Amino acid sequence: MRYFFTILILIFVAHGYAQKDSAAKSLDEVVVTVQRTSVKKVLTPYSVESVSGRNFDDFSYRTTAEALIGLNGVFVQKTNHGGGSPFLRGLTGNQVLMLVDGIRLNNSTFRYGPNQYLNTIDPYTIHKIEVAKGTGSVQYGTDALGGVINILTKEPSFSSPVGAFQTRSSVLSGRILGKFMTGNMEKTGRAEVHYSSEKFASVAGITYRNFGDLIGGDTTGRQSPSGYNEWAFDAKAKFALADNILLILAQQYLQQQHVPVYHKVILEDFLLNEFDPQKRMLSYARLNIKGNHSIFRQTEITASFQQNTEGRNSRKNGSNTLRKEKDEVNTAGFTVDVLSQFNNWWGSNSGIELYQDRVNSTRNDISISTNAAVSKRGLYPDGSGYGNYSLYSLHHFTFSRWVVDAGIRFNTFSINITDTALGKVRITPSALVYNTALMYHLSKSGHIYASYSSGFRAPNIDDMGTLGIVDFRYEIPTADLNPEKSHHFETGYKFNGPQVSATIAGYYMKLQNLITRIKVEGDTISGYPVYRKENVEKADVKGLEAQIEWDVFRQFKLSGSMAYAYGHNLTKNEPLRRIPPFNGRITGTYRNKKISAAAEWLFASKQVRLAQGDKDDNRIPKGGTPGWNVLNVYAGYRLIHFRFNIGAQNIFNKDYRAHGSGINGVGRSAWVNVVYQF
């Protein structure tokens, strides 16, 4: 905690510095996720973080999930090398909502606890990641108990008219990229092409990646098996149909092959345990219409289709049976968002969201000796349907020094399951949620705020229909569940000056009707204890987050962030499961037109506050997860057509593990990234 108090002192010192400078100005960065419309980050009465495209260039993040490591208030757990599950306000998995270009990535089979789905987004397609913490159910619906992560992919841009900034009406450009990491831990290649004209623009790319086994710190060495292969394709086209009508068509595809679950092979007597394949495909069409009427200032209509496929192969040591499972979720989506501007102090976003899932789930047990296959029930009831339908309205008011934000959403669901274990089941849960927030501008640089957000997570197919081995337990189906609910309160202070900006926030979240696994006493299947899910628990999470950025001089910046969360299960009177330890990051960055350099210190304290479920989890060391400190350095150089970036990770080769992970972090290593642009 001494680090946290250091940050607090720096914030108050910086505030005094900013108050002395009457030229203080708002942050230039604009965010769209937290209010479904463009607003300056410093003027949002909620906690919002972001990762920019420039950071993706300079730090060459290995995966989308790893790009969030060290972001203030975000903690990333890695069950396996191909995974990466972000924690927001102490929650993860299906209690955190993930979006791609505003379209739900979460579907009806997302699991409680850590998952790997964020890793199905190619980091080379990303323009920006925005994270809204503690809010999101009103803005985007179910699952946003901990918050929302919105991945915004690259947008093609139209060319300028001839004679303004150029002499050609169309421009063709592109880039070729290659990355190599020591120990054969990564080989990546990507080709990308851009086309721009006055009325049409497009971007398309293809990525191939080979990840070798992850090599840990000084006593860990190579962690085998953990490597895998991945390839991805993406395309986006933009059409100016008229001066006020824009059409966007997009296609994304990513496939990972033979992704090992390392801790199961090492700790649970598996000869083979892997995801194969892990696939995601997203297609969408978006129509953006700008109008002159105050009610219909801008209308955005999106039709989408997404397919997520998860294959799992497993075989125990000494077993003659290879189990092959596959779950495929097809999701059709349709959303309409209307931006209204009634006058200069009142604006709103209102709309509808409709999503429909179809779940297909299969399992085949194959004899190694005879190759004969026996079909059995999959992890989920095959042919399950999940409908998600909602109406919302968000309103934004500005009165002199006051900003008021308020919204409401009604969400209803239609969940249909036909299963030999459950029979025919149909439930139609619903939820009404709302939020309100207030911000007061103390000065041009200082802003205080307070907010309240109610949230919910409707039961999904994974909650109701799971039958089989999950983590270290065997789950059986449940026929009737209700939505989980949250009440989130936050207060904070934001300020920015010409050289210093900082935020500090405190929050309290009350969780009710939590769906949790209840052990069926005395029952085991295949040597695993048997569990089923019920709405039986209450919990709360409270915490503090703080960060500061100081432009020491024009090209050099120092930044620091710290986050602390305390979660308690009120029903069991024990710590809430998987709560991250106190953690943070301190970074120094230098940039000019040609050169960039950065040093990054990541740290986490030990986590010894363990629930019984944590103690039973073989991924968590007995007595808790030790604390750790890791130092990374980066550098880059730009030429006319080339960009070179290098990184050195874990300089002191420390052994460490993010709390709850099934694999240790990378040891001392280096990578080089070369980009040719034309």
Side-chain angles (χ1 to χ4, degrees):
M1 289 295 292
R2 65 181 183 276
Y3 302 115
F4 203 96
F5 291 117
T6 300
I7 286 292
L8 294 185
I9 292 170
L10 287 174
I11 287 176
F12 286 117
V13 171
H15 175 250
Y17 181 92
Q19 292 290 79
K20 293 178 182 178
D21 197 318
S22 60
K25 57 186 179 184
S26 296
L27 290 172
D28 293 329
E29 183 181 5
V30 171
V31 294
V32 299
T33 300
V34 73
Q35 293 180 336
R36 296 191 72 124
T37 188
S38 298
V39 61
K40 289 183 178 179
K41 180 178 175 181
V42 74
L43 300 180
T44 59
Y46 307 94
S47 288
V48 188
E49 306 296 338
S50 61
V51 182
S52 70
R54 180 65 185 268
N55 280 6
F56 278 87
D57 288 342
D58 288 349
F59 300 121
S60 191
Y61 301 117
R62 192 186 72 87
T63 67
T64 299
E66 291 180 19
L68 298 174
I69 293 176
L71 195 64
N72 186 34
V74 182
F75 189 82
V76 178
Q77 181 264 21
K78 290 180 59 176
T79 293
N80 59 319
H81 193 36
S85 194
F87 281 72
L88 304 182
R89 302 285 155 98
L91 303 178
T92 194
N94 57 20
Q95 295 177 320
V96 169
L97 177 59
M98 295 182 285
L99 309 171
V100 181
D101 291 336
I103 298 167
R104 294 179 65 90
L105 175 63
N106 290 44
N107 62 44
S108 57
T109 66
F110 268 38
R111 299 185 291 274
Y112 167 76
N115 61 46
Q116 75 280 12
Y117 302 114
L118 192 59
N119 221 27
T120 63
I121 301 169
D122 184 356
Y124 292 100
T125 67
I126 296 175
H127 164 66
K128 186 181 183 182
I129 302 178
E130 293 183 359
V131 180
K133 296 174 288 186
T135 187
S137 282
V138 175
Q139 298 92 323
Y140 296 99
T142 182
D143 299 358
L145 297 177
V148 177
I149 298 172
N150 193 5
I151 293 91
L152 304 171
T153 60
K154 295 176 182 176
E155 293 279 352
S157 56
F158 298 123
S159 63
S160 303
V162 174
F165 300 102
Q166 60 182 52
T167 57
R168 293 182 296 165
S169 61
S170 62
V171 177
L172 182 67
S173 62
R175 65 174 189 161
I176 299 172
L177 174 149
K179 181 183 176 185
F180 177 79
M181 190 172 181
T182 55
N184 284 322
M185 283 189 283
E186 181 181 350
K187 297 174 185 175
T188 291
R190 176 168 172 85
E192 191 174 285
V193 62
H194 304 249
Y195 176 79
S196 299
S197 66
E198 292 183 40
K199 300 292 184 180
F200 172 75
S202 65
V203 57
I206 186 168
T207 306
Y208 177 77
R209 317 188 74 185
N210 174 266
F211 297 110
D213 289 334
L214 178 63
I215 301 174
D218 53 7
T219 60
T220 298
R222 188 173 297 275
Q223 300 171 92
S224 181
S226 57
Y228 61 98
N229 294 328
E230 172 183 305
W231 77 275
F233 168 79
D234 60 276
K236 186 181 287 189
K238 185 185 292 186
F239 304 83
L241 303 182
D243 290 342
N244 66 326
I245 302 177
L246 188 68
L247 174 65
I248 297 175
L249 302 177
Q251 173 72 39
Q252 301 170 14
Y253 179 84
L254 183 142
Q255 177 171 319
Q256 296 169 339
Q257 298 169 306
H258 302 292
V259 186
V261 184
Y262 172 75
H263 78 280
K264 286 189 173 292
V265 175
I266 299 301
L267 300 177
E268 297 184 19
D269 197 34
F270 277 92
L271 177 66
L272 173 71
N273 196 294
E274 64 180 13
F275 295 110
D276 181 50
Q278 179 75 46
K279 296 192 294 185
R280 182 185 66 89
M281 186 275 291
L282 171 64
S283 305
Y284 71 84
R286 176 167 289 159
L287 194 64
N288 190 297
I289 305 170
K290 294 183 177 180
N292 295 321
H293 197 282
S294 60
I295 296 179
F296 299 100
R297 186 59 57 89
Q298 181 172 292
T299 302
E300 187 174 86
I301 303 170
T302 304
S304 63
F305 177 77
Q306 189 161 205
Q307 183 181 84
N308 279 277
T309 303
E310 179 182 301
R312 295 178 298 277
N313 301 327
S314 61
R315 181 186 172 192
K316 286 277 193 174
N317 284 309
S319 172
N320 192 46
T321 301
L322 171 65
R323 176 176 297 176
K324 295 182 73 69
E325 300 174 280
K326 186 171 77 170
D327 305 321
E328 182 179 279
V329 183
N330 295 301
T331 305
F334 181 77
T335 65
V336 179
D337 182 80
V338 178
L339 171 66
S340 305
Q341 192 66 49
F342 302 106
N343 48 50
N344 60 2
W345 53 267
W346 178 17
S348 74
N349 288 82
S350 301
I352 62 171
E353 292 188 336
L354 311 173
Y355 289 93
Q356 183 70 46
D357 283 7
R358 180 75 173 182
V359 179
N360 298 311
S361 184
T362 61
R363 169 183 162 186
N364 286 291
D365 288 355
I366 303 171
S367 170
I368 300 300
S369 56
T370 65
N371 209 34
V374 178
S375 296
K376 295 187 176 182
R377 181 203 193 266
L379 182 62
Y380 306 116
D382 192 39
S384 300
Y386 187 91
N388 176 358
Y389 320 114
S390 59
L391 298 167
Y392 65 88
S393 188
L394 313 171
H395 294 261
H396 324 291
F397 306 92
T398 304
F399 307 105
S400 183
R401 291 192 171 196
W402 294 93
V403 173
V404 181
D405 199 64
I408 190 168
R409 174 183 290 254
F410 176 72
N411 217 144
T412 187
F413 301 83
S414 176
I415 306 172
N416 294 278
I417 293 174
T418 301
D419 183 60
T420 54
L422 293 173
K424 289 186 177 182
V425 176
R426 182 175 186 267
I427 64 171
T428 56
S430 61
L432 181 68
V433 289
Y434 59 94
N435 64 4
T436 184
L438 187 67
M439 173 174 273
Y440 180 72
H441 305 311
L442 296 170
S443 65
K444 291 182 179 180
S445 58
H447 319 272
I448 59 173
Y449 70 93
S451 66
Y452 164 77
S453 298
S454 60
F456 75 102
R457 186 185 75 83
N460 63 15
I461 303 297
D462 179 76
D463 293 314
M464 297 179 61
T466 300
L467 176 64
I469 299 170
V470 179
D471 291 336
F472 54 89
R473 62 183 69 81
Y474 196 101
E475 291 192 11
I476 58 177
T478 303
D480 190 17
L481 293 169
N482 296 310
E484 299 179 323
K485 297 180 181 180
S486 70
H487 301 275
H488 184 277
F489 304 86
E490 178 178 316
T491 185
Y493 177 58
K494 301 181 181 183
F495 80 90
N496 66 288
Q499 288 183 269
V500 177
S501 65
T503 65
I504 180 171
Y507 64 89
Y508 172 78
M509 178 165 52
K510 185 177 181 180
L511 298 163
Q512 298 172 303
N513 270 17
L514 288 178
I515 299 171
T516 188
R517 299 177 176 107
I518 301 298
K519 188 175 182 180
V520 180
E521 293 298 336
D523 202 355
T524 62
I525 299 177
S526 301
Y528 288 85
V530 176
Y531 287 75
R532 63 180 298 154
K533 292 178 180 174
E534 297 179 13
N535 291 97
V536 295
E537 291 189 352
K538 296 180 180 180
D540 59 22
V541 183
K542 50 194 172 185
L544 288 170
E545 297 168 356
Q547 63 177 336
I548 183 170
E549 291 187 358
W550 177 24
D551 293 332
V552 182
F553 51 87
R554 183 180 177 186
Q555 297 166 331
F556 181 66
K557 178 174 70 176
L558 286 174
S559 62
S561 64
M562 316 283 172
Y564 173 75
Y566 183 96
H568 194 72
N569 186 316
L570 301 174
T571 304
K572 294 182 177 180
N573 192 27
E574 66 173 11
L576 194 61
R577 281 207 65 192
R578 302 188 180 97
I579 290 294
F582 174 67
N583 65 92
R585 173 172 64 178
I586 297 176
T587 306
T589 305
Y590 174 85
R591 286 191 179 116
N592 63 27
K593 291 182 178 180
K594 290 187 176 182
I595 298 173
S596 65
E600 171 188 60
W601 172 35
L602 297 165
F603 61 88
S605 66
K606 62 183 179 180
Q607 181 54 287
V608 295
R609 293 193 70 249
L610 304 178
Q612 186 59 48
D614 294 328
K615 296 175 183 177
D616 294 338
D617 193 333
N618 56 23
R619 291 168 293 189
I620 297 176
K622 186 176 181 180
T625 304
W628 47 267
N629 294 269
V630 171
L631 178 64
N632 305 319
V633 296
Y634 309 91
Y637 183 73
R638 294 172 181 261
L639 291 173
I640 296 174
H641 293 291
F642 286 91
R643 189 183 78 240
F644 303 91
N645 290 90
I646 59 173
Q649 298 172 285
N650 197 353
I651 299 297
F652 298 108
N653 203 31
K654 296 293 185 180
D655 265 329
Y656 75 100
R657 173 174 291 201
H659 181 59
S661 296
I663 192 166
N664 284 2
V666 67
R668 184 187 295 123
S669 55
W671 54 259
V672 59
N673 189 64
V674 181
V675 180
Y676 171 70
Q677 297 175 308
F678 60 90

